[in-house]
Amino acid sequence: MTFSHDTEQALGTLVRLVNTLPGPNSQVDTLETLEELEKFVHEREFSAVGSLSDKDLAEVRDLRPLFSPVFTTGSDAEAAAMINAIVARGTTTPRLTNHDGHPWHIHYSRDGASLACRITVECGIALAQVISAGERERLRRCEAPDCDDALIDLSRNRSKRYCDARTCGNRLHVAAYRERRKASGE
């Protein structure tokens, strides 16, 4: 399944946002300051974002626990209920745009909407597209034993098991290789 560029961009934003939450093996919150929010906005290539305030930071931080459970939900119906509740929090005004060298795509939030509203609507609609396409299993958590980062599996065969943010897959493959060598007496 191939999603549009803007859907994949919104899903990447969502994964990055959810992964700013402290996890079980790291109590570090990586979205505590305005500087961290500005870095997030820059990295995720949000267009037309004015100066950010402490209010923006608080609103965006409050979105994380709303989106996080979508990556561990057990059914499409449960995911749909969560997503519908999330999208209902925002103001949607779909419009076509082709800014910053990107081809025509849909923005679901109105011009001048707050950053939190934009994230709510854009990421919520992207999740709705994943669920409506019957692809919920692409939303999951990293399988490394010491990581629970969210991930979206956009691979053709749905084989992605580890997050991109860390070296989880590499570490586990190296450990398995060393274990095999040790077992064979090398």
Side-chain angles (χ1 to χ4, degrees):
M1 159 90 359
T2 302
F3 296 103
S4 67
H5 167 77
D6 50 316
T7 298
E8 288 186 12
Q9 177 72 12
L11 292 169
T13 296
L14 176 61
V15 165
R16 174 72 173 83
L17 177 67
V18 168
N19 289 341
T20 64
L21 282 166
N25 296 307
S26 170
Q27 298 305 310
V28 178
D29 184 327
T30 58
L31 192 59
E32 289 189 306
T33 67
L34 274 175
E35 292 79 25
E36 290 168 333
L37 180 60
E38 288 166 352
K39 180 180 176 188
F40 172 80
V41 166
H42 177 73
E43 285 174 359
R44 298 310 310 160
E45 298 179 350
F46 279 94
S47 62
V49 174
S51 59
L52 297 167
S53 68
D54 288 333
K55 179 181 178 192
D56 292 307
L57 178 61
E59 289 174 349
V60 171
R61 287 173 50 86
D62 289 347
L63 294 177
R64 301 177 305 171
L66 299 175
F67 280 112
S68 185
V70 174
F71 290 90
T72 55
T73 185
S75 73
D76 288 355
E78 190 178 334
M82 288 179 201
I83 294 163
N84 286 339
I86 290 167
V87 173
R89 295 171 56 102
T91 304
T92 60
T93 310
R95 62 188 170 83
L96 284 167
T97 183
N98 66 342
H99 61 87
D100 299 329
H102 295 291
W104 287 104
H105 59 282
I106 301 172
H107 279 196
Y108 293 95
S109 55
R110 61 177 162 56
D111 285 339
S114 71
L115 179 60
C117 180
R118 290 175 63 185
I119 292 171
T120 299
V121 173
E122 303 293 333
C123 293
I125 296 292
L127 285 170
Q129 290 172 342
V130 170
I131 301 306
S132 67
E135 299 287 341
R136 181 182 51 84
E137 68 275 1
R138 292 182 180 277
L139 306 170
R140 54 178 162 264
R141 295 289 182 163
C142 181
E143 291 182 19
D146 61 341
C147 181
D148 75 336
D149 278 0
L151 65 91
I152 177 78
D153 181 359
L154 296 174
S155 69
R156 194 174 278 190
N157 62 358
R158 296 179 185 94
S159 61
K160 186 173 181 177
R161 298 175 51 206
Y162 305 108
C163 67
D164 294 329
R166 300 172 42 187
T167 58
C168 295
N170 233 7
R171 281 185 302 106
L172 292 172
H173 289 112
V174 168
Y177 171 77
R178 288 182 180 155
E179 196 59 36
R180 285 192 306 271
R181 287 193 58 178
K182 182 179 170 184
S184 69
E186 289 181 32

